[in-house]
Amino acid sequence: MTETSAQPRVLIFDTTLRDGEQSPGATMTHEEKLEIASMLDEMGVDIIEAGFPIASEGDFAAVSEIAKRSKNSTICGLSRANFKDIDRCWEAVKHAARPRIHTFIGTSPLHRAIPNLTMDEMADRIHQTVTHARNLCDNVQWSAMDAYRTEHDYLCRVVEIAIKAGATTINIPDTVGYTAPRESADLIRMLIERVPGADEVIFSTHCHNDLGMATANSLAAVEAGARQIECTINGLGERAGNAALEEVVMALKVRNDIMPFQTGIDTTKIMNLSRKVSTVSGFPVQFNKAIVGKNAFLHESGIHQDGVLKNVETFEIMRPETIGLSAANIAMGKHSGRAALRAKLKELGFELADNQLNDVFVRFKALADRKKEVYDDDLIALMKDQETTSTHDTLQVKRLRVICGTDGPQEAELTLSIDGVEHSIDATGDGPVDAAFNCVKMLYPHKARLQLYQVAAVTEGTDAQATVSVRIEEEGRIATGASADTDTIVASVKAYVNALNRLIERRKKTAPGDDVKSVNYRDAG
Ligand code: KIV
Ligand code: ZN
């Protein structure tokens, strides 16, 4: 069974750029946020939560620019329950064709204790802030943070107040990922049954994944009457993340026979968005992640391969093309020409201008010289590498040599171009990566601390490329870097240098702490 326009519509509210970006280390640059927002808009996301405007100048600028550029999606900004936050949010989203103000407060006993408000005081605050938001914008979403641990009578009371004050969407977040599917459904059903005016608003679900139930809880809420799902690409988000957009959307599509709801999402855009978010956030997608994991459509065992060859439905419940994966992963080699490379990259979601194609072609040839067969994943890694480096970067890796042995410290010799001038040095370390990183630190002294260093092989075989992700932190500023190369040490140094370049850019643009969330969003006051 396929989705039909007669089926009830479930709105998809994407919060990758707000709740996703809030996840420690997932900070994105201004340009990256704009690019992701435009991809979400094209994919058919109904509402994009573009950021938390009062949190920083950077957040404000990103939300305003996304609002100005938006085509079809409603653009939403987050604000706590106070006039200053709400005004700032409106200033940012008002440029959108379809703006929305999202205001929230923690309603559970634990959360009420933070601003130290009595139940009555909080109810009054909700009335005032939602009224204020509604006077600015006719599309207002109100969220009861930690709704699932809020007393039912009190939750009904404050939801009713928010509706009366003009909220058009009521969001019921499982902030700590604590609920389970039956309870998730029961709470939404109870609110729809008990709260006067409930039929005039859209109920929304916002589930965190601490117990691995975010997708199931979101779908259960929809079955009980929620008509908006809040989610993020790749399930990015604080702690264990949020419900994953690709999971809720594909579950509604593939199991439309038992969940007859439609969304407006063009699912063929899922894979490219997943790759983009993974690259810019520096959060790799786990191999066995539902829908977008590298292994999600692989059939390794003999029985499975045999079955799939006879009839693909034996072990496959959805076709890879549905999420934008090309069906055949045909290898390219050193004899493949420019036109073939262009066609393959287009199929993988990368449309290149002629001069960009020339650069990529040179790198592709170099890779094909080192590696017999270049697979789709190799090309994606190469493109990610291309996207993260620029000839304008302050630091550029020119030459690297390492000497490894079973005993004694390892040695590295590195030549780095700093602002166009080449400098060389050698250093030792505990292993070749450590030695090479020591060279970088000596050539370009800095206080940034390494928070994450992660290596993964792109394909099988000893000639496989390694992708390396690095996250560094300096005075509250976080920067991520990534690179790919058939040589793991080269990829590591390039990823480290890439992160440093992004940190340098960030230092130029902001005062310390300005580009991190300096406002504590848990503080509802
Ligand atoms: O998890 C949560 O409660 C939130 C709210 C701000 C909606 O992200
Ligand atoms: Zn959340």
Side-chain angles (χ1 to χ4, degrees):
M1 185 164 165
T2 48
E3 293 163 289
T4 68
S5 54
Q7 294 177 344
R9 172 80 179 258
V10 173
L11 300 174
I12 298 298
F13 176 116
D14 181 278
T15 183
T16 307
L17 298 175
R18 198 279 297 169
D19 220 342
E21 210 240 358
Q22 221 159 267
S23 124
T27 334
M28 302 171 194
T29 65
H30 184 75
E31 284 69 29
E32 289 164 348
K33 288 181 190 175
L34 299 190
E35 210 179 328
I36 288 176
S38 134
M39 290 171 84
L40 291 168
D41 198 331
E42 265 179 37
M43 180 201 226
V45 160
D46 298 283
I47 304 108
I48 299 173
E49 186 160 54
F52 187 8
I54 197 125
S56 68
E57 289 300 326
D59 255 42
F60 181 85
V63 179
S64 337
E65 197 53 39
I66 290 169
K68 284 178 197 151
R69 294 185 185 196
S70 60
K71 294 196 182 96
N72 304 307
S73 308
T74 294
I75 305 301
C76 171
L78 183 69
S79 50
R80 292 167 300 178
N82 65 64
F83 289 6
K84 204 168 154 223
D85 269 42
I86 293 170
D87 290 343
R88 189 81 176 138
C89 177
W90 174 240
E91 281 306 307
V93 296
K94 70 178 183 195
H95 308 286
R98 279 169 282 276
R100 174 181 290 190
I101 295 177
H102 178 189
T103 178
F104 76 99
I105 196 158
T107 52
S108 67
L110 281 165
H111 284 264
R112 289 200 299 269
I114 300 173
N116 198 17
L117 293 177
T118 64
M119 283 177 156
D120 287 346
E121 284 165 348
M122 182 168 284
D124 195 42
R125 172 85 71 95
I126 294 164
H127 171 74
Q128 286 174 21
T129 49
V130 176
T131 306
H132 183 69
R134 188 54 207 263
N135 285 337
L136 297 169
C137 179
D138 56 13
N139 188 337
V140 172
Q141 169 165 328
W142 179 74
S143 288
M145 187 163 78
D146 205 16
Y148 284 83
R149 294 189 299 170
T150 302
E151 305 87 332
H152 284 191
D153 286 348
Y154 188 60
L155 189 62
C156 286
R157 177 177 165 201
V158 288
V159 167
E160 184 180 347
I161 289 172
I163 295 175
K164 285 208 174 111
T168 43
T169 299
I170 298 291
N171 184 37
I172 303 300
D174 179 21
T175 306
V176 289
Y178 179 68
T179 196
R182 193 177 338 127
E183 188 185 57
S184 169
D186 287 348
L187 191 68
I188 298 288
R189 205 172 288 116
M190 184 277 293
L191 288 167
I192 293 177
E193 275 165 19
R194 281 184 53 187
V195 176
D199 51 345
E200 284 155 31
V201 297
I202 289 182
F203 275 85
S204 164
T205 175
H206 174 113
C207 299
H208 280 267
N209 204 27
D210 299 64
L211 293 172
M213 290 190 278
T215 297
N217 291 338
S218 307
L219 296 172
V222 166
E223 291 195 88
R227 290 293 174 266
Q228 173 177 293
I229 300 181
E230 301 203 355
C231 46
T232 58
I233 301 289
N234 298 339
L236 195 68
E238 283 201 82
R239 309 183 309 278
N242 290 61
L245 180 146
E246 62 277 8
E247 293 177 17
V248 293
V249 168
M250 287 310 289
L252 289 175
K253 190 178 178 79
V254 175
R255 294 314 312 274
N256 196 259
D257 53 335
I258 56 167
M259 293 180 286
F261 302 96
Q262 48 153 337
T263 72
I265 299 294
D266 174 358
T267 60
T268 62
K269 306 241 188 287
I270 286 180
M271 209 51 226
N272 286 344
L273 252 154
S274 165
R275 288 184 192 125
K276 186 80 201 171
V277 169
S278 165
T279 311
V280 306
S281 65
F283 277 51
V285 174
Q286 88 195 42
F287 283 10
N288 59 340
K289 162 86 181 60
I291 320 292
V292 291
K294 192 169 145 59
N295 293 355
F297 290 91
L298 272 190
H299 302 284
E300 280 283 7
S301 84
I303 297 175
H304 283 214
Q305 282 181 347
D306 189 46
V308 168
L309 285 175
K310 289 189 177 119
N311 177 356
V312 334
E313 286 183 18
T314 332
F315 288 102
E316 221 171 67
I317 57 164
M318 53 196 155
R319 301 292 301 138
E321 303 89 281
T322 331
I323 60 151
L325 263 179
S326 59
N329 188 354
I330 296 164
M332 312 228 344
K334 61 178 171 191
H335 301 299
S336 306
R338 218 172 279 258
L341 180 67
R342 187 196 284 276
K344 181 52 121 180
L345 288 174
K346 187 164 181 222
E347 194 183 302
L348 295 173
F350 302 100
E351 299 235 20
L352 304 185
D354 285 346
N355 59 337
Q356 287 173 308
L357 182 72
N358 290 343
D359 291 351
V360 175
F361 191 65
V362 171
R363 301 186 64 181
F364 160 71
K365 284 284 176 189
L367 179 63
D369 269 340
R370 277 179 287 153
K371 205 174 174 292
K372 260 203 319 281
E373 287 168 322
V374 179
Y375 290 97
D376 289 1
D377 286 335
D378 286 316
L379 289 175
I380 292 163
L382 191 136
M383 286 308 298
K384 281 186 185 173
D385 202 45
Q386 177 87 1
E387 281 174 1
T388 49
T389 49
S390 147
T391 45
H392 303 300
D393 286 341
T394 307
L395 308 176
Q396 303 196 15
V397 178
K398 291 294 174 188
R399 279 176 299 282
L400 174 68
R401 226 166 70 90
V402 286
I403 304 162
C404 295
T406 46
D407 41 292
Q410 273 70 37
E411 278 175 52
E413 289 170 26
L414 176 71
T415 303
L416 206 58
S417 151
I418 306 175
D419 282 324
V421 182
E422 289 195 8
H423 302 266
S424 303
I425 205 153
D426 53 71
T428 56
D430 288 333
V433 175
D434 192 45
F437 280 25
N438 285 341
C439 289
V440 176
K441 285 179 210 154
M442 287 159 76
L443 288 174
Y444 183 76
H446 56 269
K447 288 201 220 101
R449 240 174 16 90
L450 187 67
Q451 280 194 335
L452 172 103
Y453 167 71
Q454 205 157 273
V455 186
V458 174
T459 53
E460 261 94 82
T462 48
D463 65 348
Q465 286 195 91
T467 52
V468 178
S469 310
V470 162
R471 185 165 74 226
I472 55 176
E473 185 269 338
E474 182 199 73
E475 291 175 5
R477 290 188 191 93
I478 292 173
T480 55
S483 190
D485 199 282
T486 46
D487 185 319
T488 311
I489 321 293
V490 172
S492 303
V493 174
K494 284 188 175 167
Y496 186 33
V497 165
N498 177 224
L500 282 171
N501 279 322
R502 297 180 83 181
L503 190 70
I504 295 167
E505 281 309 302
R506 220 157 264 179
R507 276 191 207 142
K508 285 184 199 156
K509 283 188 193 151
T510 57
D514 194 24
D515 57 341
V516 291
K517 302 289 166 283
S518 44
V519 168
N520 178 9
Y521 99 114
R522 297 278 177 234
D523 164 18

